[in-house]
Amino acid sequence: MMLSSSRLRVGSRAALQPLINFIQRPRDHRSLHLAPPFLLEDYTPRYQLLSEVDASKKRSLAYAHLRNCNLCPRLCGVNRYETTGMCLIGQDVKVNVIAPHFGEEPCIQGHNGSGSVFFSGCNLRCTFCQNHDIAHQRNGFDLTPEALAQWYIKLQDVGHVHNINLTTPEHVVPQVALSILAARDLGLKIPIVYNTSAFDSLASLELMDGLVDIYLPDFKVWNKATSQRLLKADDYASTATESVKAMHAQVGDLCFTGDGIAKRGVLVRHLVMPGKEAEAEEIMKFLAENVSRDIFVNIMEQYRPDAHVGKPKKRVKKENSEQEGQEEVRYAEINRPVTKDEVSAVRKAAEAVGLWRFCDPPRHDGFAL
C-alpha cells in the first residue's frame, strides 16, 4: 500500500532530522575528533626516528639514574643495583601482568587490544588505589630491560595489539627507556603509551622524550591537603601540572589515523571522587588555560571504595555511653561511590572552561571509535 505524500514528507523529515541539526548547529561548535588537524595519514613511532647518537645518550643516562635514583619526585637517591627506595623496585622491573588489554579507552584499545604491561610498585600511596594489590605490593615476576623488550615483540607479533601500554611506569623509567631502545633493535614498530599517575619528574619525562608517543596521565586531585591525606604526597598537583605541560610540549594534542586509533598526543584522565567536584573544576580549568582547550579528556565515573578506604579504625572510647566502643571506618569522606550529579558537575565544569574533546560512549550500536 502506498503512503500519502504528506505522510512521506513527515517521515522523511524525521529521518533527516539528525542531519538537519548537524547543518544548523553553530559554526564555532567543534565536535569532530577524527578530522584535521587531529587526523594523521600515517604514523611512525617517535623512537624509530631517534638517531643512534641520541639513543646511546639515553642508554647512558638511564644507567646513571639507576646508580643514583632521583628520577621521580620522591628523590630517594638510592643505588638501585644495591637497594630500593620507596617504590620497592631495584635494578629489574617487577611485572604483574603482560597481555592484550580491553579495558582502556576505545581509541587506545581498538579491536585488538592494547599491549598492557602492568608494573608492580608505585611512587604514590593512594589510599583508594583500585589496583592496590599490584601498586602497593611486590607481586609479579622480575624482568631485565632486554627480557621486557622481547615481551613487547610478542605482544606486537603474536597479539597484534595496537600499542605497548606501560602502566604505572613512573618508578621504573630507566628500565623502561632501556627496554624500548632494545625493542626498537628487535623490530618494534607500534606506538608506546605511557600510562601514568602524572606524579613524574621533569627529568624522567626528558629521558622519555623521543621514546613515548602517547601520554596517558591520570590527574587525581588539586588541593595540597587532599594530596597529603589521600595520596601520601606533599603536593601532588604542583608536580602533576608541570608534568602534564611537559608531556603536551612533547607530543601535543591527541591525534588519530583513519581507523580511529590514537597514535600520538596526550589523553588526560580524571577519576571523579566523592565530594571533590571543586578540585576537579580546578583541574579542568588548568587544562584549558595552561595546556590546551583541544586536549582529550576522559572523565571517569568508576570510583569505588577500595584499598584502605572503609577499613575499620581502632575502637575509640566516646564520652557518650551509647557510642562507647563504636567502630569507625578510615577515610569515611570517600567511602561511597560517586553520584551521577557529581560526574555531571565535573563534565559541565570542563565544558564551561572550553574543553570539548571527551571520551564519550558512542551514540550508535557500533564500535566506539
Side-chain angles (χ1 to χ4, degrees):
M1 181 177 69
M2 296 198 52
L3 297 173
S4 67
S5 59
S6 61
R7 289 186 64 187
L8 180 61
R9 285 195 296 270
V10 172
S12 298
R13 182 174 180 82
L16 293 173
Q17 192 61 47
L19 179 60
I20 295 170
N21 293 341
F22 179 83
I23 295 172
Q24 293 178 345
R25 67 180 182 166
R27 294 276 185 179
D28 61 347
H29 181 74
R30 301 166 297 175
S31 64
L32 294 177
H33 313 313
L34 197 60
F38 311 114
L39 180 62
L40 304 171
E41 291 187 6
D42 199 4
Y43 185 70
T44 300
R46 299 176 75 217
Y47 59 83
Q48 290 283 355
L49 305 177
L50 273 183
S51 68
E52 288 300 326
V53 172
D54 289 337
S56 180
K57 289 180 179 178
K58 287 189 179 295
R59 288 190 184 94
S60 297
L61 191 58
Y63 288 124
H65 281 304
L66 283 173
R67 289 191 293 270
N68 181 25
C69 191
N70 285 316
L71 261 190
C72 93
R74 296 293 184 182
L75 302 176
C76 296
V78 300
N79 183 342
R80 292 175 69 169
Y81 291 103
E82 299 175 352
T83 186
T84 64
M86 184 172 183
C87 68
L88 306 177
I89 304 299
Q91 63 175 318
D92 294 333
V93 300
K94 187 170 284 291
V95 178
N96 189 271
V97 176
I98 301 177
H101 185 50
F102 294 87
E104 305 288 19
E105 289 80 357
C107 62
I108 299 295
Q109 71 179 33
H111 293 277
N112 298 334
S114 180
S116 293
V117 180
F118 289 88
F119 295 107
S120 294
C122 184
N123 61 356
L124 287 175
R125 289 294 181 269
C126 299
T127 59
F128 54 88
C129 181
Q130 315 284 287
N131 296 312
H132 62 96
D133 56 328
I134 299 174
H136 294 182
Q137 302 176 36
R138 299 183 72 254
N139 292 327
F141 51 98
D142 295 322
L143 290 176
T144 65
E146 294 74 22
L148 188 58
Q150 294 176 358
W151 276 103
Y152 299 166
I153 299 300
K154 292 177 183 177
L155 286 169
Q156 172 185 269
D157 295 347
V158 180
H160 304 293
V161 296
H162 297 286
N163 45 62
I164 301 298
N165 189 338
L166 306 170
T167 305
T168 320
E170 304 92 309
H171 58 297
V172 289
V173 165
Q175 299 95 320
V176 163
L178 293 170
S179 69
I180 295 171
L181 293 171
R184 181 182 80 153
D185 296 339
L186 294 176
L188 189 68
K189 297 178 181 178
I190 54 180
I192 298 292
V193 179
Y194 188 88
N195 190 339
T196 170
S197 67
F199 196 56
D200 297 276
S201 72
L202 295 182
S204 67
L205 295 177
E206 182 180 357
L207 180 58
M208 298 309 297
D209 190 9
L211 300 176
V212 171
D213 301 283
I214 298 172
Y215 283 103
L216 200 60
D218 179 5
F219 204 133
K220 298 179 181 294
V221 299
W222 186 261
N223 292 344
K224 187 173 183 178
T226 306
S227 170
Q228 292 171 335
R229 175 167 169 76
L230 298 184
L231 310 187
K232 308 308 177 187
D234 285 339
D235 195 357
Y236 164 85
S238 65
T239 297
T241 51
E242 294 303 314
S243 296
V244 172
K245 286 193 291 186
M247 295 172 190
H248 189 266
Q250 289 183 21
V251 297
D253 295 311
L254 196 65
C255 296
F256 308 79
T257 44
D259 56 2
I261 305 298
K263 293 296 195 295
R264 184 192 71 225
V266 179
L267 192 163
V268 178
R269 291 168 165 171
H270 175 68
L271 179 64
V272 180
M273 297 185 62
K276 304 297 181 185
E277 304 97 301
E279 294 192 42
E281 183 176 349
E282 291 297 327
I283 292 171
M284 299 305 154
K285 183 178 178 181
F286 159 76
L287 293 174
E289 295 182 355
N290 297 279
V291 184
S292 170
R293 282 186 168 80
D294 294 329
I295 199 162
F296 206 100
V297 179
N298 184 6
I299 297 172
M300 303 185 295
E301 59 186 54
Q302 64 261 42
Y303 172 83
R304 66 183 188 278
D306 210 332
H308 302 288
V309 178
K311 287 187 176 180
K313 289 183 177 180
K314 292 181 179 179
R315 294 180 181 272
V316 179
K317 291 186 176 181
K318 305 284 185 178
E319 293 183 3
N320 187 334
S321 59
E322 293 182 359
Q323 294 179 336
E324 185 174 350
Q326 181 179 350
E327 191 172 61
E328 297 180 353
V329 298
R330 303 175 68 187
Y331 308 103
E333 72 274 19
I334 57 171
N335 188 30
R336 62 172 177 82
V338 295
T339 66
K340 291 183 179 180
D341 288 342
E342 288 170 327
V343 176
S344 178
V346 176
R347 174 60 178 261
K348 289 178 180 177
E351 294 175 345
V353 294
L355 299 176
W356 64 281
R357 302 181 75 200
F358 300 103
C359 185
D360 290 330
R363 298 179 181 177
H364 53 74
D365 295 329
F367 194 70
L369 286 181

mmCIF file of all heavy atoms in Angstrom, residues 257-301:
data_model
loop_
_atom_site.group_PDB
_atom_site.id
_atom_site.type_symbol
_atom_site.label_atom_id
_atom_site.label_comp_id
_atom_site.label_asym_id
_atom_site.label_seq_id
_atom_site.Cartn_x
_atom_site.Cartn_y
_atom_site.Cartn_z
ATOM 1 N N THR A 257 44.892 8.019 13.395
ATOM 2 C CA THR A 257 44.867 7.633 11.990
ATOM 3 C C THR A 257 43.417 7.354 11.598
ATOM 4 O O THR A 257 42.519 7.353 12.447
ATOM 5 C CB THR A 257 45.743 6.391 11.752
ATOM 6 O OG1 THR A 257 45.510 5.430 12.787
ATOM 7 C CG2 THR A 257 47.217 6.768 11.738
ATOM 8 N N GLY A 258 43.176 7.104 10.330
ATOM 9 C CA GLY A 258 41.818 6.977 9.823
ATOM 10 C C GLY A 258 41.015 5.838 10.412
ATOM 11 O O GLY A 258 39.777 5.830 10.315
ATOM 12 N N ASP A 259 41.679 4.863 11.030
ATOM 13 C CA ASP A 259 40.964 3.750 11.649
ATOM 14 C C ASP A 259 40.450 4.088 13.043
ATOM 15 O O ASP A 259 39.845 3.240 13.710
ATOM 16 C CB ASP A 259 41.858 2.499 11.720
ATOM 17 C CG ASP A 259 43.168 2.760 12.446
ATOM 18 O OD1 ASP A 259 43.383 3.887 12.934
ATOM 19 O OD2 ASP A 259 44.004 1.834 12.503
ATOM 20 N N GLY A 260 40.688 5.331 13.493
ATOM 21 C CA GLY A 260 40.195 5.750 14.798
ATOM 22 C C GLY A 260 41.097 5.402 15.960
ATOM 23 O O GLY A 260 40.720 5.608 17.116
ATOM 24 N N ILE A 261 42.284 4.873 15.691
ATOM 25 C CA ILE A 261 43.216 4.505 16.751
ATOM 26 C C ILE A 261 44.158 5.676 17.024
ATOM 27 O O ILE A 261 44.744 6.242 16.104
ATOM 28 C CB ILE A 261 44.026 3.257 16.376
ATOM 29 C CG1 ILE A 261 43.077 2.105 16.020
ATOM 30 C CG2 ILE A 261 44.967 2.868 17.516
ATOM 31 C CD1 ILE A 261 42.179 1.676 17.147
ATOM 32 N N ALA A 262 44.295 6.046 18.288
ATOM 33 C CA ALA A 262 45.198 7.132 18.662
ATOM 34 C C ALA A 262 46.641 6.706 18.413
ATOM 35 O O ALA A 262 47.033 5.575 18.707
ATOM 36 C CB ALA A 262 44.989 7.509 20.116
ATOM 37 N N LYS A 263 47.423 7.640 17.899
ATOM 38 C CA LYS A 263 48.821 7.346 17.596
ATOM 39 C C LYS A 263 49.794 8.286 18.294
ATOM 40 O O LYS A 263 50.937 7.922 18.531
ATOM 41 C CB LYS A 263 49.046 7.427 16.077
ATOM 42 C CG LYS A 263 48.342 6.346 15.263
ATOM 43 C CD LYS A 263 48.866 4.960 15.598
ATOM 44 C CE LYS A 263 48.447 3.923 14.562
ATOM 45 N NZ LYS A 263 46.999 3.712 14.526
ATOM 46 N N ARG A 264 49.356 9.504 18.596
ATOM 47 C CA ARG A 264 50.269 10.468 19.223
ATOM 48 C C ARG A 264 49.468 11.504 19.994
ATOM 49 O O ARG A 264 48.360 11.865 19.577
ATOM 50 C CB ARG A 264 51.108 11.182 18.156
ATOM 51 C CG ARG A 264 52.164 12.127 18.723
ATOM 52 C CD ARG A 264 52.767 13.005 17.659
ATOM 53 N NE ARG A 264 51.803 14.011 17.198
ATOM 54 C CZ ARG A 264 51.588 14.313 15.925
ATOM 55 N NH1 ARG A 264 52.225 13.667 14.971
ATOM 56 N NH2 ARG A 264 50.715 15.240 15.608
ATOM 57 N N GLY A 265 50.017 11.962 21.123
ATOM 58 C CA GLY A 265 49.380 13.046 21.848
ATOM 59 C C GLY A 265 49.138 12.718 23.309
ATOM 60 O O GLY A 265 49.611 11.703 23.833
ATOM 61 N N VAL A 266 48.381 13.596 23.967
ATOM 62 C CA VAL A 266 48.082 13.459 25.394
ATOM 63 C C VAL A 266 46.591 13.212 25.578
ATOM 64 O O VAL A 266 45.761 13.904 24.991
ATOM 65 C CB VAL A 266 48.489 14.730 26.170
ATOM 66 C CG1 VAL A 266 48.142 14.593 27.649
ATOM 67 C CG2 VAL A 266 49.982 15.003 26.004
ATOM 68 N N LEU A 267 46.275 12.222 26.405
ATOM 69 C CA LEU A 267 44.902 11.958 26.827
ATOM 70 C C LEU A 267 44.899 12.007 28.351
ATOM 71 O O LEU A 267 45.541 11.182 28.996
ATOM 72 C CB LEU A 267 44.420 10.599 26.316
ATOM 73 C CG LEU A 267 42.923 10.274 26.426
ATOM 74 C CD1 LEU A 267 42.562 9.095 25.513
ATOM 75 C CD2 LEU A 267 42.473 9.956 27.849
ATOM 76 N N VAL A 268 44.201 12.984 28.914
ATOM 77 C CA VAL A 268 44.182 13.164 30.366
ATOM 78 C C VAL A 268 42.961 12.476 30.955
ATOM 79 O O VAL A 268 41.830 12.700 30.511
ATOM 80 C CB VAL A 268 44.174 14.655 30.755
ATOM 81 C CG1 VAL A 268 44.108 14.818 32.272
ATOM 82 C CG2 VAL A 268 45.412 15.347 30.206
ATOM 83 N N ARG A 269 43.201 11.664 31.968
ATOM 84 C CA ARG A 269 42.113 11.031 32.703
ATOM 85 C C ARG A 269 41.878 11.783 34.018
ATOM 86 O O ARG A 269 42.809 12.343 34.593
ATOM 87 C CB ARG A 269 42.464 9.588 33.042
ATOM 88 C CG ARG A 269 42.524 8.653 31.848
ATOM 89 C CD ARG A 269 43.147 7.339 32.245
ATOM 90 N NE ARG A 269 42.927 6.289 31.250
ATOM 91 C CZ ARG A 269 43.507 5.098 31.279
ATOM 92 N NH1 ARG A 269 44.352 4.811 32.256
ATOM 93 N NH2 ARG A 269 43.262 4.193 30.351
ATOM 94 N N HIS A 270 40.629 11.775 34.448
ATOM 95 C CA HIS A 270 40.330 12.250 35.796
ATOM 96 C C HIS A 270 39.256 11.364 36.394
ATOM 97 O O HIS A 270 38.156 11.239 35.848
ATOM 98 C CB HIS A 270 39.853 13.702 35.808
ATOM 99 C CG HIS A 270 39.432 14.153 37.183
ATOM 100 N ND1 HIS A 270 40.333 14.312 38.217
ATOM 101 C CD2 HIS A 270 38.201 14.401 37.716
ATOM 102 C CE1 HIS A 270 39.684 14.668 39.317
ATOM 103 N NE2 HIS A 270 38.389 14.730 39.042
ATOM 104 N N LEU A 271 39.604 10.731 37.517
ATOM 105 C CA LEU A 271 38.657 9.875 38.220
ATOM 106 C C LEU A 271 37.860 10.742 39.193
ATOM 107 O O LEU A 271 38.405 11.293 40.149
ATOM 108 C CB LEU A 271 39.411 8.785 38.985
ATOM 109 C CG LEU A 271 38.561 7.803 39.798
ATOM 110 C CD1 LEU A 271 37.667 6.973 38.876
ATOM 111 C CD2 LEU A 271 39.454 6.891 40.642
ATOM 112 N N VAL A 272 36.569 10.877 38.914
ATOM 113 C CA VAL A 272 35.701 11.674 39.781
ATOM 114 C C VAL A 272 35.607 10.988 41.136
ATOM 115 O O VAL A 272 35.360 9.782 41.230
ATOM 116 C CB VAL A 272 34.298 11.831 39.163
ATOM 117 C CG1 VAL A 272 33.401 12.661 40.075
ATOM 118 C CG2 VAL A 272 34.401 12.483 37.792
ATOM 119 N N MET A 273 35.812 11.781 42.202
ATOM 120 C CA MET A 273 35.798 11.233 43.559
ATOM 121 C C MET A 273 34.714 11.885 44.399
ATOM 122 O O MET A 273 34.329 13.023 44.134
ATOM 123 C CB MET A 273 37.173 11.410 44.201
ATOM 124 C CG MET A 273 38.266 10.638 43.482
ATOM 125 S SD MET A 273 39.831 10.741 44.351
ATOM 126 C CE MET A 273 39.398 9.950 45.901
ATOM 127 N N PRO A 274 34.200 11.182 45.398
ATOM 128 C CA PRO A 274 33.100 11.718 46.207
ATOM 129 C C PRO A 274 33.456 13.057 46.859
ATOM 130 O O PRO A 274 34.464 13.179 47.560
ATOM 131 C CB PRO A 274 32.896 10.630 47.275
ATOM 132 C CG PRO A 274 33.439 9.385 46.672
ATOM 133 C CD PRO A 274 34.581 9.819 45.818
ATOM 134 N N GLY A 275 32.629 14.056 46.588
ATOM 135 C CA GLY A 275 32.788 15.347 47.232
ATOM 136 C C GLY A 275 33.953 16.184 46.751
ATOM 137 O O GLY A 275 34.251 17.226 47.344
ATOM 138 N N LYS A 276 34.600 15.797 45.650
ATOM 139 C CA LYS A 276 35.778 16.516 45.170
ATOM 140 C C LYS A 276 35.515 17.263 43.863
ATOM 141 O O LYS A 276 36.432 17.530 43.087
ATOM 142 C CB LYS A 276 36.939 15.533 44.967
ATOM 143 C CG LYS A 276 37.303 14.710 46.184
ATOM 144 C CD LYS A 276 37.782 15.572 47.337
ATOM 145 C CE LYS A 276 38.161 14.729 48.545
ATOM 146 N NZ LYS A 276 38.512 15.581 49.707
ATOM 147 N N GLU A 277 34.275 17.664 43.626
ATOM 148 C CA GLU A 277 33.952 18.355 42.371
ATOM 149 C C GLU A 277 34.712 19.677 42.229
ATOM 150 O O GLU A 277 35.111 20.056 41.132
ATOM 151 C CB GLU A 277 32.456 18.632 42.267
ATOM 152 C CG GLU A 277 31.559 17.412 42.401
ATOM 153 C CD GLU A 277 31.015 17.245 43.806
ATOM 154 O OE1 GLU A 277 31.827 17.122 44.739
ATOM 155 O OE2 GLU A 277 29.778 17.284 43.957
ATOM 156 N N ALA A 278 34.887 20.384 43.337
ATOM 157 C CA ALA A 278 35.583 21.677 43.277
ATOM 158 C C ALA A 278 37.033 21.489 42.834
ATOM 159 O O ALA A 278 37.572 22.299 42.065
ATOM 160 C CB ALA A 278 35.516 22.373 44.631
ATOM 161 N N GLU A 279 37.669 20.431 43.298
ATOM 162 C CA GLU A 279 39.038 20.153 42.881
ATOM 163 C C GLU A 279 39.085 19.761 41.404
ATOM 164 O O GLU A 279 39.985 20.161 40.665
ATOM 165 C CB GLU A 279 39.644 19.056 43.750
ATOM 166 C CG GLU A 279 39.819 19.461 45.203
ATOM 167 C CD GLU A 279 40.678 18.487 45.988
ATOM 168 O OE1 GLU A 279 41.700 18.027 45.451
ATOM 169 O OE2 GLU A 279 40.326 18.190 47.146
ATOM 170 N N ALA A 280 38.100 18.984 40.974
ATOM 171 C CA ALA A 280 38.024 18.605 39.565
ATOM 172 C C ALA A 280 37.862 19.842 38.693
ATOM 173 O O ALA A 280 38.450 19.929 37.599
ATOM 174 C CB ALA A 280 36.861 17.642 39.347
ATOM 175 N N GLU A 281 37.068 20.786 39.148
ATOM 176 C CA GLU A 281 36.871 22.023 38.392
ATOM 177 C C GLU A 281 38.192 22.769 38.216
ATOM 178 O O GLU A 281 38.476 23.309 37.143
ATOM 179 C CB GLU A 281 35.854 22.905 39.111
ATOM 180 C CG GLU A 281 35.532 24.193 38.363
ATOM 181 C CD GLU A 281 34.449 25.009 39.049
ATOM 182 O OE1 GLU A 281 33.803 24.472 39.979
ATOM 183 O OE2 GLU A 281 34.247 26.171 38.644
ATOM 184 N N GLU A 282 39.016 22.798 39.252
ATOM 185 C CA GLU A 282 40.319 23.462 39.154
ATOM 186 C C GLU A 282 41.223 22.734 38.159
ATOM 187 O O GLU A 282 41.978 23.371 37.413
ATOM 188 C CB GLU A 282 40.982 23.510 40.532
ATOM 189 C CG GLU A 282 40.305 24.442 41.513
ATOM 190 C CD GLU A 282 40.358 25.898 41.054
ATOM 191 O OE1 GLU A 282 41.345 26.290 40.410
ATOM 192 O OE2 GLU A 282 39.391 26.631 41.338
ATOM 193 N N ILE A 283 41.149 21.414 38.152
ATOM 194 C CA ILE A 283 41.951 20.638 37.199
ATOM 195 C C ILE A 283 41.534 20.945 35.772
ATOM 196 O O ILE A 283 42.384 21.164 34.889
ATOM 197 C CB ILE A 283 41.816 19.137 37.509
ATOM 198 C CG1 ILE A 283 42.485 18.806 38.847
ATOM 199 C CG2 ILE A 283 42.418 18.290 36.380
ATOM 200 C CD1 ILE A 283 42.226 17.393 39.336
ATOM 201 N N MET A 284 40.226 20.973 35.507
ATOM 202 C CA MET A 284 39.740 21.266 34.163
ATOM 203 C C MET A 284 40.118 22.692 33.738
ATOM 204 O O MET A 284 40.494 22.933 32.584
ATOM 205 C CB MET A 284 38.218 21.085 34.095
ATOM 206 C CG MET A 284 37.744 19.667 34.402
ATOM 207 S SD MET A 284 38.532 18.421 33.346
ATOM 208 C CE MET A 284 38.436 16.974 34.402
ATOM 209 N N LYS A 285 40.044 23.615 34.664
ATOM 210 C CA LYS A 285 40.431 24.988 34.379
ATOM 211 C C LYS A 285 41.913 25.073 34.031
ATOM 212 O O LYS A 285 42.309 25.773 33.091
ATOM 213 C CB LYS A 285 40.122 25.872 35.590
ATOM 214 C CG LYS A 285 40.407 27.347 35.385
ATOM 215 C CD LYS A 285 40.026 28.150 36.627
ATOM 216 C CE LYS A 285 40.344 29.630 36.446
ATOM 217 N NZ LYS A 285 40.002 30.409 37.676
ATOM 218 N N PHE A 286 42.733 24.362 34.781
ATOM 219 C CA PHE A 286 44.170 24.328 34.480
ATOM 220 C C PHE A 286 44.421 23.781 33.080
ATOM 221 O O PHE A 286 45.221 24.339 32.308
ATOM 222 C CB PHE A 286 44.910 23.469 35.512
ATOM 223 C CG PHE A 286 46.239 22.981 35.028
ATOM 224 C CD1 PHE A 286 47.330 23.840 34.983
ATOM 225 C CD2 PHE A 286 46.395 21.671 34.587
ATOM 226 C CE1 PHE A 286 48.559 23.399 34.501
ATOM 227 C CE2 PHE A 286 47.615 21.224 34.108
ATOM 228 C CZ PHE A 286 48.697 22.090 34.070
ATOM 229 N N LEU A 287 43.784 22.666 32.739
ATOM 230 C CA LEU A 287 43.996 22.062 31.422
ATOM 231 C C LEU A 287 43.631 23.021 30.307
ATOM 232 O O LEU A 287 44.371 23.160 29.317
ATOM 233 C CB LEU A 287 43.176 20.776 31.303
ATOM 234 C CG LEU A 287 43.586 19.607 32.205
ATOM 235 C CD1 LEU A 287 42.590 18.460 32.072
ATOM 236 C CD2 LEU A 287 44.994 19.135 31.883
ATOM 237 N N ALA A 288 42.493 23.693 30.434
ATOM 238 C CA ALA A 288 42.024 24.594 29.378
ATOM 239 C C ALA A 288 42.900 25.836 29.256
ATOM 240 O O ALA A 288 43.189 26.288 28.147
ATOM 241 C CB ALA A 288 40.576 24.992 29.652
ATOM 242 N N GLU A 289 43.324 26.394 30.379
ATOM 243 C CA GLU A 289 44.036 27.669 30.356
ATOM 244 C C GLU A 289 45.544 27.529 30.230
ATOM 245 O O GLU A 289 46.206 28.456 29.748
ATOM 246 C CB GLU A 289 43.709 28.455 31.627
ATOM 247 C CG GLU A 289 42.234 28.858 31.728
ATOM 248 C CD GLU A 289 41.940 29.671 32.981
ATOM 249 O OE1 GLU A 289 42.865 29.834 33.813
ATOM 250 O OE2 GLU A 289 40.786 30.128 33.130
ATOM 251 N N ASN A 290 46.100 26.391 30.639
ATOM 252 C CA ASN A 290 47.550 26.259 30.674
ATOM 253 C C ASN A 290 48.112 25.161 29.775
ATOM 254 O O ASN A 290 49.331 25.088 29.598
ATOM 255 C CB ASN A 290 48.008 25.999 32.108
ATOM 256 C CG ASN A 290 47.697 27.149 33.038
ATOM 257 O OD1 ASN A 290 48.422 28.145 33.095
ATOM 258 N ND2 ASN A 290 46.603 27.028 33.782
ATOM 259 N N VAL A 291 47.257 24.300 29.268
ATOM 260 C CA VAL A 291 47.741 23.237 28.378
ATOM 261 C C VAL A 291 47.141 23.423 26.986
ATOM 262 O O VAL A 291 47.802 23.876 26.068
ATOM 263 C CB VAL A 291 47.416 21.841 28.946
ATOM 264 C CG1 VAL A 291 48.015 20.753 28.049
ATOM 265 C CG2 VAL A 291 47.968 21.696 30.362
ATOM 266 N N SER A 292 45.860 23.090 26.818
ATOM 267 C CA SER A 292 45.206 23.248 25.513
ATOM 268 C C SER A 292 43.710 23.010 25.667
ATOM 269 O O SER A 292 43.301 22.071 26.360
ATOM 270 C CB SER A 292 45.782 22.252 24.501
ATOM 271 O OG SER A 292 45.018 22.234 23.311
ATOM 272 N N ARG A 293 42.915 23.836 25.022
ATOM 273 C CA ARG A 293 41.472 23.574 25.009
ATOM 274 C C ARG A 293 41.118 22.396 24.112
ATOM 275 O O ARG A 293 39.997 21.907 24.149
ATOM 276 C CB ARG A 293 40.715 24.837 24.577
ATOM 277 C CG ARG A 293 40.592 25.876 25.677
ATOM 278 C CD ARG A 293 39.709 27.048 25.278
ATOM 279 N NE ARG A 293 39.380 27.878 26.426
ATOM 280 C CZ ARG A 293 40.179 28.789 26.957
ATOM 281 N NH1 ARG A 293 41.369 29.007 26.401
ATOM 282 N NH2 ARG A 293 39.808 29.499 28.013
ATOM 283 N N ASP A 294 42.068 21.967 23.306
ATOM 284 C CA ASP A 294 41.854 20.817 22.440
ATOM 285 C C ASP A 294 42.367 19.518 23.050
ATOM 286 O O ASP A 294 42.411 18.491 22.373
ATOM 287 C CB ASP A 294 42.542 21.035 21.091
ATOM 288 C CG ASP A 294 41.919 22.174 20.295
ATOM 289 O OD1 ASP A 294 40.708 22.399 20.444
ATOM 290 O OD2 ASP A 294 42.653 22.849 19.548
ATOM 291 N N ILE A 295 42.760 19.555 24.307
ATOM 292 C CA ILE A 295 43.263 18.336 24.933
ATOM 293 C C ILE A 295 42.114 17.345 25.119
ATOM 294 O O ILE A 295 40.971 17.723 25.387
ATOM 295 C CB ILE A 295 43.947 18.662 26.279
ATOM 296 C CG1 ILE A 295 44.861 17.504 26.698
ATOM 297 C CG2 ILE A 295 42.924 18.977 27.373
ATOM 298 C CD1 ILE A 295 45.878 17.875 27.750
ATOM 299 N N PHE A 296 42.429 16.068 24.948
ATOM 300 C CA PHE A 296 41.428 14.999 25.036
ATOM 301 C C PHE A 296 41.306 14.580 26.501
ATOM 302 O O PHE A 296 42.306 14.319 27.168
ATOM 303 C CB PHE A 296 41.881 13.812 24.186
ATOM 304 C CG PHE A 296 40.761 12.946 23.693
ATOM 305 C CD1 PHE A 296 40.286 13.068 22.404
ATOM 306 C CD2 PHE A 296 40.192 11.987 24.515
ATOM 307 C CE1 PHE A 296 39.260 12.242 21.938
ATOM 308 C CE2 PHE A 296 39.177 11.169 24.074
ATOM 309 C CZ PHE A 296 38.700 11.300 22.776
ATOM 310 N N VAL A 297 40.073 14.518 27.003
ATOM 311 C CA VAL A 297 39.839 14.264 28.421
ATOM 312 C C VAL A 297 38.873 13.096 28.601
ATOM 313 O O VAL A 297 37.852 13.022 27.920
ATOM 314 C CB VAL A 297 39.275 15.518 29.130
ATOM 315 C CG1 VAL A 297 39.006 15.226 30.608
ATOM 316 C CG2 VAL A 297 40.234 16.700 28.985
ATOM 317 N N ASN A 298 39.206 12.218 29.529
ATOM 318 C CA ASN A 298 38.304 11.137 29.923
ATOM 319 C C ASN A 298 37.892 11.368 31.368
ATOM 320 O O ASN A 298 38.694 11.198 32.290
ATOM 321 C CB ASN A 298 38.982 9.777 29.776
ATOM 322 C CG ASN A 298 38.032 8.632 30.080
ATOM 323 O OD1 ASN A 298 36.835 8.829 30.294
ATOM 324 N ND2 ASN A 298 38.554 7.409 30.107
ATOM 325 N N ILE A 299 36.648 11.778 31.578
ATOM 326 C CA ILE A 299 36.102 11.969 32.918
ATOM 327 C C ILE A 299 35.501 10.640 33.353
ATOM 328 O O ILE A 299 34.471 10.212 32.846
ATOM 329 C CB ILE A 299 35.048 13.094 32.927
ATOM 330 C CG1 ILE A 299 35.709 14.423 32.531
ATOM 331 C CG2 ILE A 299 34.391 13.213 34.297
ATOM 332 C CD1 ILE A 299 34.734 15.563 32.330
ATOM 333 N N MET A 300 36.159 9.986 34.309
ATOM 334 C CA MET A 300 35.810 8.609 34.662
ATOM 335 C C MET A 300 34.923 8.573 35.909
ATOM 336 O O MET A 300 35.132 9.327 36.854
ATOM 337 C CB MET A 300 37.088 7.801 34.898
ATOM 338 C CG MET A 300 38.026 7.799 33.698
ATOM 339 S SD MET A 300 39.478 6.735 33.931
ATOM 340 C CE MET A 300 40.319 7.574 35.277
ATOM 341 N N GLU A 301 33.970 7.666 35.912
ATOM 342 C CA GLU A 301 32.987 7.592 36.990
ATOM 343 C C GLU A 301 33.032 6.277 37.754
ATOM 344 O O GLU A 301 32.156 5.999 38.559
ATOM 345 C CB GLU A 301 31.576 7.783 36.415
ATOM 346 C CG GLU A 301 31.199 6.759 35.358
ATOM 347 C CD GLU A 301 29.862 7.051 34.704
ATOM 348 O OE1 GLU A 301 29.674 8.168 34.203
ATOM 349 O OE2 GLU A 301 28.999 6.152 34.718
#
